[in-house]
């Protein structure tokens, strides 16, 4: 729904790994700046805020927000579905009540509508990230840790390879 801008975005082919990676930095961002370049795009901006002490002195609890921003021309999908709400449902299914290593347990706090201007609006999803001591423990199987590091390095190299 970020890549395809048509009303039938849900009926389009699945993205390739290269297409998915291309979304990072352009439409999935951790820097809260949108470049309007003439393309009508949908964006997800991820922010970490409101850090507070946690039960683990190595980590801080915080609020993670997902700002889903869509041009009004792209809000409508088929079957009376609205793009920002469908994107929000996908994000919620991936992150709510999940444990992310180094981030913590995520718990849905709420959502609210955001209107940026007369062309862009969307939703903000908020999750509480609660840290615990489990992130200090190594993975149970050393082979899993080695594979995780290899996968991460490969993904990182593909994402930041200079042309």
């Amino acid at each position: 729904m970020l890549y395809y801008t048509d009303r039938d975005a849900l009926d389009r082919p699945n993205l390739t790994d290269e297409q998915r990676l291309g979304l990072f930095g352009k439409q999935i961002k951790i820097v809260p700046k949108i470049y309007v370049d003439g393309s009508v795009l949908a964006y997800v901006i991820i922010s970490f805020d409101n850090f507070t002490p946690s039960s683990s002195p190595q980590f801080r609890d915080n609020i993670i927000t997902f700002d889903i921003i869509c041009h009004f021309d792209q809000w409508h999908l088929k079957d009376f579905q609205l793009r920002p709400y469908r994107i929000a449902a996908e994000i919620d299914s991936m992150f709510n009540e999940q444990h992310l290593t180094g981030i913590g347990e995520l718990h849905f706090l709420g959502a609210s509508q955001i209107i940026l201007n007369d062309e862009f609006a969307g939703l903000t999803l908020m999750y509480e990230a609660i840290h615990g001591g489990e992130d200090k423990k190594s993975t149970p199987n050393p082979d899993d840790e080695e594979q995780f590091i290899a996968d991460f390095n490969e993904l990182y190299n593909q994402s930041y390879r200079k042309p």
Side-chain angles (χ1 to χ4, degrees):
M1 286 177 283
L2 293 176
Y3 187 82
Y4 296 115
T5 59
D6 318 58
R7 291 179 80 137
D8 66 347
L10 297 171
D11 299 329
R12 303 293 297 268
N14 289 337
L15 300 181
T16 65
D17 289 340
E18 186 175 318
Q19 289 169 320
R20 280 193 290 263
L21 286 173
L23 294 172
F24 289 95
K26 183 177 180 184
Q27 289 171 264
I28 300 173
K29 306 165 88 49
I30 56 173
V31 176
K33 181 167 177 119
I34 297 174
Y35 294 98
V36 179
D37 62 357
S39 300
V40 179
L41 302 173
Y43 303 91
V44 174
I45 300 170
I46 305 165
S47 303
F48 299 83
D49 202 1
N50 298 324
F51 289 87
T52 59
S54 73
S55 60
S56 174
Q58 289 83 16
F59 300 102
R60 300 287 182 250
D61 292 343
N62 66 293
I63 305 295
I64 300 174
T65 59
F66 294 86
D67 293 328
I68 303 157
I69 309 295
C70 298
H71 192 278
F72 283 122
D73 289 346
Q74 291 187 358
W75 269 56
H76 292 283
L77 295 169
K78 290 173 39 175
D79 299 329
F80 300 102
Q81 297 181 63
L82 298 175
R83 187 180 305 267
Y85 289 89
R86 256 324 279 262
I87 294 171
E90 290 292 325
I91 290 171
D92 189 61
S93 71
M94 291 188 298
F95 291 101
N96 190 35
E97 303 302 324
Q98 296 297 313
H99 177 267
L100 302 177
T101 302
I103 294 177
E105 292 282 340
L106 297 185
H107 303 284
F108 180 72
L109 289 178
S112 58
Q113 187 177 54
I114 52 175
I115 300 172
L116 297 181
N117 57 32
D118 61 346
E119 293 186 32
F120 289 93
L123 296 170
T124 296
L125 297 176
M126 295 165 282
Y127 294 86
E128 180 179 36
I130 301 173
H131 293 284
E134 72 280 351
D135 286 335
K136 284 190 66 177
K137 299 176 187 168
S138 62
T139 54
N141 183 343
D143 291 337
D144 293 343
E145 185 172 6
E146 289 173 19
Q147 185 60 47
F148 172 81
I149 291 170
D151 290 345
F152 173 81
N153 287 334
E154 181 181 343
L155 181 64
Y156 180 83
N157 289 333
Q158 288 175 356
S159 298
Y160 295 100
R161 186 178 301 140
K162 299 196 186 235

